[in-house]
Amino acid sequence: DSIPSVLAYQSRQPPPSAGPRRKERRESGGASARSRTPHCCSVEAETQTSSSSAKASTAEVQVGPMRLTQYPIQVLLIFAKEDNQSNGFWWACDRAGYRCNVAWTLESALECFLDKHQEIIVIDHRNSKYFDAEDICRSIRATELSKHTVILAVVPRTSADQEETSVLPLLDAGFDRQFMENSSVTACYNELVQIEHGEVRSQFKLRACNAVFTALDHCQEAVEITSEDHVIQYVNPAFERMMGYCKGELIGKELTELPKSDKNSADLLDNINTFIKKGKEWQGIYYARRKSGDSIQQHVKITPVVGQGGKIRHFVSLKRLHCTNENNKQLYKSHREDKYTGDNSQSESGSYTCKNRRKDSVDVKSITSQSSDAPSLQTRRYSSMARIHSMTIEAPITKVINIINAAQENSPITVAEALDRVLEILRTTELYSPQLGTKDEDPHTSDLVGGLMNDGLRRLSGNEYVFSKNMNLSHTHLPMPNTISDVPPCIAQLLDNEESWDFNIFELEAVTNKRPLVYLGLKVFARFGVSEFLNCSEATLRAWLQVIEANYHSSNSYHNSTHAADVLHATAFFLGKERVKGSLDHLDEVAALIAATIHDVDHPGRTNSFLCNAGSELAVLYNDTAVLESHHTALAFQLTTKDSKYNIFKNIDRNRYRTLRQAIIDMVLATEMTKHFEHVNKFVNSINKPMASEETSPHNEGSNTECTTNIKNFPDNQTLIKRMMIKCADVANPCRPLELCIEWAGRISEEYFAQTDEEKRQGLPVVMPVFDRNTCSIPKSQISFIDYFITDMFDAWDAFAHLPVLMQHLANNYKHWKTLDDLKCKSLRLPSENNN
């Protein structure tokens, strides 16, 4: 008889009580014989089982935190001929819900295994007359797939007086187990089930580890796994990139063989070992030495892993760069040198490699054109556009967006479009607050950041909060507004120049007897058609301006109505710039002018931190959050709606009023410094970078028009522009002509000096200790303010609005303060200049 080399059983009746029923032999030959044997190697047919059996054969397996589904086991029976033993294993597979194939020759067995990848193989080792079982086993083991397969040898039963043979020859041939001949279905079933729950399940778990290693290989965080003796067992590609080594140079080496950085403290390694040897996780800052010899600062987390014998067998280290500019320079220096060479510093997406002003260096794009101290305006504009791509104060979401932008360059169109949708989502969520580290080892910077960006209460050394009712900020009874019939000629002459950035607000302050806001407001509001938009009379507008100005404190050296008029002037100047004007509606312009006018009304001349520490009524009212900014807007609307004589909103419909009110509130709240970097980062990522991509695109004809149209189509973008505009207007002093800049620096310093004096008198925590009038260096404070807050923000704003005059003033003023600081001068001017 001729028997097919592979049989795949479809269905069989349960074995009778007398034993398994033998299959009917099929004879080869004619067509009738071939038609009766459809189950050959090329046909995929599997055991048909009952629903209960199939359910039992699918198992849920837990591998650490992973939950896996193990599908029905596949078994390959390799027998020389059909007998009770082969039938016994067949019916055992049927009972267990396994899929079963039977092969009769070496060739068919290999063919079937390569096709099905069975987890269990049973080879008949009882008789070498038909085939060599060990040769078959070696042939299967020679395939890559067999490393996860359990191979069982069926050996003949030995008599009671015969010594049992050793299993070592079987193990050497590649077998995993031996089965003493027993055709009982139950015996075969027990053997197979034990294999499933033992070796097969273990191999299944090991295969699942491939997914974990794939994740590690693609992880952006550097991963290193060592033995309990600190021998490196695994590093992922991110680790190779970070440290500059290839995997082959590290695997098998002890950590002590690798170069160490000399920047770590002497006892750091001892402290780490003390932690991890006790099974505790350690994390902290560690200096590592790259293959190139550079030391980089890493944030390291080391986790001990318990293994064989319940002892610690591995240490898993996760490493990422500690967020410092020096680290970024060292780690990516070689990558940048490979990607950008010579003058080719502009990437395809319009990014530029450049340095920051605070490092006293210049944009590499414009090095060749800076032969004089006054670079061209176009060069300066390119410089601002460049610096927005290299800002050193970067939120995590900014880094994410940069990575996505880079990935888009070489991605297929479908992937690029999907990433566009991702960017759109990211740009509309609150993910832009930066992670602020130590900017510089500079107390002026630290105090500015602490004083301007911290609303929280500060504790005294006794850990008791100080609450004081001495700071009463409630406004006094408001005087009735005076009608202004005519503007005096001297004032009118000054106002003729109000559209110029170099307009001298202090001259207007002098000739108006410290009431510049009313006069400048009337001129600016008329130019922008505010009365027409609000449908109110000029008399109402005059009365409103008088009320608002009356509630500014003229006793404040800085936060008075002159500052409000200065911010109004800057806002109007920005609104006149082509791209700003094209991006905003008339309602936005009106809201911006009103917001600038009221943004510091009733300011007490003290910071939010002072009010919180003092437990003032305003701080209690506004829960220590954006205290002054909330008060400015609330009071302004209270004053406006209190009397119809100066209610400029009384004639507009409810919907327009609500829209206008929300825009005004949003802009005033944007001047609060705790969210400074959030606003700047959002503007850069949502306005600057998309605009830069459009400008560098080969299809950029008419890009200005398209850009402003796109902005108008997205109200969120208009909101970002309005916030950025009033923020820049609010702190534009360093961008004013030098004499104006110096005057403003003196005024804000005096106000901070007065606050420090009062904090000392009341026993309050001193918010900005460097602003002590006896020791403070005003040039240092201005340098810190420009470096930390101004440079990045005005680079971004200049890249959008094109402000060459402001940027030139900023450079000149920074140079003035640096010169004074280099000469150890702490005042506004050199002594010789003061004498003059």
Side-chain angles (χ1 to χ4, degrees):
D1 291 342
S2 175
I3 302 174
S5 61
V6 177
L7 288 178
Y9 297 94
Q10 275 194 308
S11 62
R12 297 178 70 169
Q13 298 299 321
S17 58
R21 186 176 65 180
R22 295 178 61 82
K23 285 184 297 183
E24 186 178 325
R25 298 281 187 180
R26 296 181 173 84
E27 297 184 5
S28 62
S32 60
R34 287 193 297 272
S35 67
R36 292 195 303 272
T37 56
H39 310 301
C40 64
C41 176
S42 61
V43 179
E44 184 178 352
E46 55 193 38
T47 305
Q48 294 181 351
T49 58
S50 67
S51 58
S52 61
S53 173
K55 184 179 295 184
S57 64
T58 301
E60 294 290 330
V61 180
Q62 195 79 19
V63 182
M66 291 179 68
R67 182 178 293 276
L68 310 171
T69 300
Q70 183 175 343
Y71 293 98
I73 303 298
Q74 296 188 88
V75 179
L76 174 60
L77 306 179
I78 305 175
F79 282 78
K81 60 179 181 177
E82 180 184 1
D83 60 7
N84 286 340
Q85 187 63 69
S86 65
N87 287 334
F89 274 109
W90 156 253
W91 292 115
C93 291
D94 184 66
R95 180 188 295 183
Y98 301 160
R99 296 167 177 159
C100 183
N101 293 89
V102 181
W104 310 111
T105 66
L106 169 61
E107 293 77 13
S108 60
L110 283 172
E111 181 181 356
C112 190
F113 175 69
L114 293 173
D115 179 46
K116 304 290 185 183
H117 310 160
Q118 287 91 347
E119 289 84 7
I120 302 174
I121 297 178
V122 181
I123 302 178
D124 186 4
H125 197 283
R126 295 171 298 168
N127 197 326
S128 60
K129 178 180 178 181
Y130 299 103
F131 56 57
D132 190 326
E134 293 184 9
D135 280 348
I136 294 176
C137 184
R138 289 189 183 95
S139 298
I140 292 174
R141 285 297 184 203
T143 65
E144 177 68 19
L145 298 168
S146 66
K147 63 183 179 182
H148 297 298
T149 298
V150 179
I151 303 181
L152 176 71
V154 179
V155 299
R157 182 180 297 277
T158 58
S159 60
D161 58 347
Q162 187 177 2
E163 186 177 352
E164 190 169 331
T165 58
S166 171
V167 297
L168 290 178
L170 294 177
L171 296 176
D172 291 340
F175 288 100
D176 297 289
R177 296 168 67 99
Q178 75 169 14
F179 177 79
M180 200 71 71
E181 181 179 12
N182 188 339
S183 61
S184 164
V185 174
T186 301
C188 295
Y189 172 82
N190 289 341
E191 181 70 15
L192 293 175
V193 170
Q194 288 180 75
I195 293 174
E196 178 196 355
H197 287 267
E199 291 97 323
V200 170
R201 189 153 294 179
S202 296
Q203 290 291 343
F204 176 71
K205 293 178 179 180
L206 285 175
R207 282 202 229 187
C209 291
N210 289 335
V212 178
F213 280 113
T214 300
L216 289 173
D217 284 346
H218 291 84
C219 178
Q220 296 300 313
E221 202 164 30
V223 180
E224 175 189 62
I225 302 177
T226 63
S227 69
E228 68 271 31
D229 298 320
H230 304 295
V231 175
I232 299 174
Q233 299 172 317
Y234 169 85
V235 294
N236 69 341
F239 185 94
E240 295 177 86
R241 291 192 297 270
M242 176 184 285
M243 300 304 298
Y245 289 97
C246 295
K247 188 175 298 185
E249 300 175 276
L250 298 172
I251 303 299
K253 282 193 174 183
E254 292 188 20
L255 292 178
T256 54
E257 298 179 52
L258 300 179
K260 297 289 186 296
S261 173
D262 55 4
K263 294 188 177 182
N264 295 307
S265 60
D267 58 348
L268 179 59
L269 287 177
D270 291 336
N271 291 338
I272 294 174
N273 281 322
T274 300
F275 262 79
I276 62 179
K277 289 295 185 182
K278 293 179 180 179
K280 296 180 180 179
E281 184 179 87
W282 182 89
Q283 60 178 325
I285 305 303
Y286 180 82
Y287 283 94
R289 187 178 296 279
R290 302 182 72 239
K291 184 179 179 180
S292 62
D294 298 330
S295 287
I296 56 173
Q297 196 176 13
Q298 299 172 327
H299 184 279
V300 180
K301 180 190 290 184
I302 305 176
T303 305
V305 179
V306 175
Q308 186 178 4
K311 297 181 179 180
I312 296 171
R313 299 299 183 187
H314 309 278
F315 296 108
V316 177
S317 301
L318 304 181
K319 304 182 179 185
R320 54 185 169 81
L321 276 186
H322 191 56
C323 296
T324 65
N325 296 333
E326 195 62 31
N327 274 347
N328 293 333
K329 289 178 183 176
Q330 290 180 355
L331 182 62
Y332 296 110
K333 179 180 178 182
S334 60
H335 294 272
R336 285 203 303 266
E337 287 174 349
D338 291 340
K339 189 171 182 180
Y340 308 108
T341 57
D343 291 332
N344 298 326
S345 58
Q346 183 179 0
S347 71
E348 292 178 8
S349 63
S351 299
Y352 296 80
T353 304
C354 72
K355 298 181 180 178
N356 195 284
R357 180 200 309 277
R358 61 178 60 98
K359 300 301 179 185
D360 297 325
S361 54
V362 293
D363 172 25
V364 300
K365 183 75 177 178
S366 54
I367 285 177
T368 56
S369 64
Q370 293 189 358
S371 56
S372 67
D373 293 335
S376 68
L377 298 182
Q378 187 64 23
T379 298
R380 182 168 295 281
R381 174 161 167 74
Y382 283 144
S383 179
S384 293
M385 288 294 291
R387 281 194 293 271
I388 67 173
H389 291 279
S390 60
M391 289 185 178
T392 57
I393 304 168
E394 203 170 36
I397 193 63
T398 309
K399 298 175 183 177
V400 171
I401 289 176
N402 288 340
I403 292 170
I404 294 174
N405 280 329
Q408 282 183 303
E409 294 181 17
N410 300 315
S411 298
I413 184 64
T414 53
V415 175
E417 290 174 351
L419 292 176
D420 274 334
R421 291 193 293 274
V422 172
L423 290 172
E424 184 178 346
I425 294 169
L426 292 177
R427 286 169 176 155
T428 57
T429 53
E430 297 296 325
L431 301 172
Y432 290 83
S433 295
Q435 295 172 328
L436 295 176
T438 302
K439 184 69 177 176
D440 293 298
E441 297 298 330
D442 178 7
H444 291 80
T445 300
S446 301
D447 285 359
L448 277 171
V449 174
L452 298 179
M453 297 192 65
N454 186 1
D455 272 343
L457 298 177
R458 296 191 174 191
R459 292 181 182 270
L460 292 174
S461 57
N463 289 330
E464 296 295 334
Y465 289 121
V466 176
F467 292 93
S468 170
K469 295 300 178 184
N470 295 335
M471 196 65 193
N472 187 352
L473 298 179
S474 58
H475 55 275
T476 57
H477 181 70
L478 299 176
M480 292 299 293
N482 297 320
T483 302
I484 304 173
S485 55
D486 296 306
V487 176
C490 59
I491 297 177
Q493 185 176 357
L494 276 176
L495 291 175
D496 287 341
N497 193 39
E498 59 90 12
E499 294 187 37
S500 167
W501 179 254
D502 294 346
F503 176 73
N504 193 326
I505 196 68
F506 298 116
E507 291 183 357
L508 184 64
E509 177 191 60
V511 299
T512 59
N513 194 25
K514 296 187 176 181
R515 296 180 61 195
L517 186 58
V518 170
Y519 293 97
L520 181 66
L522 286 172
K523 181 71 182 295
V524 170
F525 280 34
R527 177 154 62 92
F528 283 89
V530 174
S531 294
E532 291 80 359
F533 179 85
L534 296 174
N535 192 26
C536 70
S537 65
E538 185 181 357
T540 302
L541 187 59
R542 287 172 179 165
W544 178 78
L545 286 168
Q546 285 181 302
V547 168
I548 296 300
E549 185 158 38
N551 279 272
Y552 276 93
H553 298 192
S554 60
S555 57
N556 291 343
S557 60
Y558 182 87
H559 286 99
N560 48 41
S561 68
T562 303
H563 168 65
D566 186 62
V567 175
L568 174 62
H569 171 264
T571 302
F573 180 83
F574 294 151
L575 287 173
K577 307 307 290 182
E578 180 182 356
R579 184 170 276 158
V580 178
K581 191 173 184 66
S583 302
L584 302 178
D585 301 320
H586 196 189
L587 183 145
D588 298 317
E589 295 176 347
V590 172
L593 296 173
I594 294 174
T597 304
I598 69 168
H599 84 282
D600 272 335
V601 68
D602 198 35
H603 196 293
R606 301 291 182 265
T607 64
N608 280 332
S609 294
F610 177 94
L611 300 183
C612 294
N613 288 330
S616 71
E617 292 179 1
L618 286 180
V620 173
L621 177 63
Y622 293 110
N623 300 315
D624 296 338
T625 304
V627 175
L628 286 172
E629 293 72 24
S630 299
H631 174 61
H632 301 324
T633 50
L635 177 62
F637 278 99
Q638 289 172 0
L639 294 173
T640 303
T641 57
K642 183 178 181 180
D643 193 321
S644 63
K645 291 179 181 178
Y646 33 78
N647 186 355
I648 56 176
F649 305 126
K650 61 186 177 183
N651 293 327
I652 59 175
D653 63 73
R654 182 182 298 274
N655 289 336
R656 175 168 285 195
Y657 170 70
R658 288 187 62 81
T659 304
L660 188 65
R661 171 177 157 80
Q662 288 304 315
I664 294 168
I665 293 172
D666 183 83
M667 279 185 276
V668 175
L669 292 180
T671 63
E672 197 253 334
M673 292 300 289
T674 62
K675 292 190 175 182
H676 170 81
F677 296 107
E678 176 182 340
H679 294 315
V680 174
N681 272 298
K682 278 191 172 184
F683 185 85
V684 168
N685 288 309
S686 296
I687 304 296
N688 285 142
K689 290 186 177 179
M691 184 181 73
S693 297
E694 289 183 18
E695 289 185 353
T696 56
S697 169
H699 309 290
N700 64 346
E701 292 81 1
S703 60
N704 276 351
T705 304
E706 292 177 8
C707 177
T708 54
T709 301
N710 291 337
I711 291 171
K712 275 196 170 185
N713 291 336
F714 294 97
D716 287 345
N717 286 347
Q718 291 179 305
T719 299
L720 295 179
I721 292 171
K722 288 182 289 185
R723 289 175 183 171
M724 192 70 162
M725 177 170 60
I726 196 167
K727 281 181 62 60
C728 289
D730 189 28
V731 292
N733 309 332
C735 298
R736 293 290 186 180
L738 180 59
E739 286 305 310
L740 303 186
C741 171
I742 291 173
E743 177 65 23
W744 283 122
R747 292 189 178 203
I748 189 62
S749 297
E750 176 56 37
E751 195 163 287
Y752 286 161
F753 293 158
Q755 175 171 309
T756 299
D757 293 343
E758 184 168 357
E759 286 166 337
K760 291 178 178 179
R761 284 196 305 271
Q762 294 194 28
L764 295 172
V766 177
V767 173
M768 295 180 284
V770 296
F771 282 98
D772 184 314
R773 65 175 69 252
N774 298 316
T775 60
C776 180
S777 168
I778 295 178
K780 280 188 182 296
S781 69
Q782 288 298 305
I783 290 169
S784 296
F785 184 64
I786 293 172
D787 278 346
Y788 207 83
F789 292 105
I790 298 301
T791 300
D792 286 345
M793 181 168 71
F794 272 90
D795 278 337
W797 186 234
D798 170 51
F800 175 74
H802 187 39
L803 305 164
V805 175
L806 279 72
M807 303 308 289
Q808 187 62 61
H809 284 319
L810 178 59
N812 295 340
N813 296 338
Y814 189 83
K815 183 178 179 181
H816 169 78
W817 299 123
K818 286 288 289 184
T819 300
L820 293 180
D821 185 48
D822 291 343
L823 296 173
K824 310 300 182 184
C825 177
K826 295 184 177 182
S827 60
L828 296 168
R829 295 180 175 87
L830 291 172
S832 58
E833 294 177 0
N834 289 330
N835 294 335
N836 293 335

